[in-house]
Amino acid sequence: MAIQTTEMTELGEFLARKSINKAEVSRRTGISQSRLSELALNPSTKLQAKELYLIALAIDIEPGEVLNEVCKHLKLQTD
C-alpha cells in the first residue's frame, strides 16, 4: 500500500497550528467539512473572502490575522 503525502495549504497549516476542530467550524459557519478539507489540502482551491471571514469569526480570530497567514507568500512586484 503506497503512502500518499499531502501538502497543506497556508490555511490548512494555520488551522493545524491552532488545533482547530473543522467539524465545529463547519457547524458554526455552514461551510461543509468537505469544502474545509479542500481549502486545507488543495492548493488550487480558491478561498472566498466570505469563507475566510466566517472561519475567522468561528475560531475567534481577527480576519486580518487569518488573511495575513493565508497570503503571507504574496509580494508586490518591484520595478
Side-chain angles (χ1 to χ4, degrees):
M1 177 182 214
I3 297 175
Q4 187 178 28
T5 58
T6 304
E7 190 173 320
M8 280 195 237
T9 64
E10 286 87 359
L11 178 63
E13 290 174 4
F14 180 76
L15 295 176
R17 271 195 316 276
K18 298 284 188 182
S19 299
I20 302 299
N21 181 327
K22 289 186 212 158
E24 180 67 13
V25 171
S26 176
R27 186 188 66 74
R28 295 186 74 195
T29 63
I31 301 170
S32 70
Q33 287 189 45
S34 63
R35 174 69 178 162
L36 288 172
S37 291
E38 188 176 339
L39 290 168
L41 299 173
N42 186 348
S44 66
T45 301
K46 303 298 181 197
L47 174 63
Q48 296 177 8
K50 70 178 185 178
E51 291 171 324
L52 181 142
Y53 188 77
L54 289 170
I55 291 167
L57 291 179
I59 62 177
D60 198 30
I61 293 178
E62 286 295 318
E65 184 180 340
V66 179
L67 182 63
N68 284 336
E69 281 295 316
V70 170
C71 297
K72 66 184 173 191
H73 65 283
L74 298 176
K75 305 287 182 220
L76 292 175
Q77 294 183 5
T78 58
D79 292 332

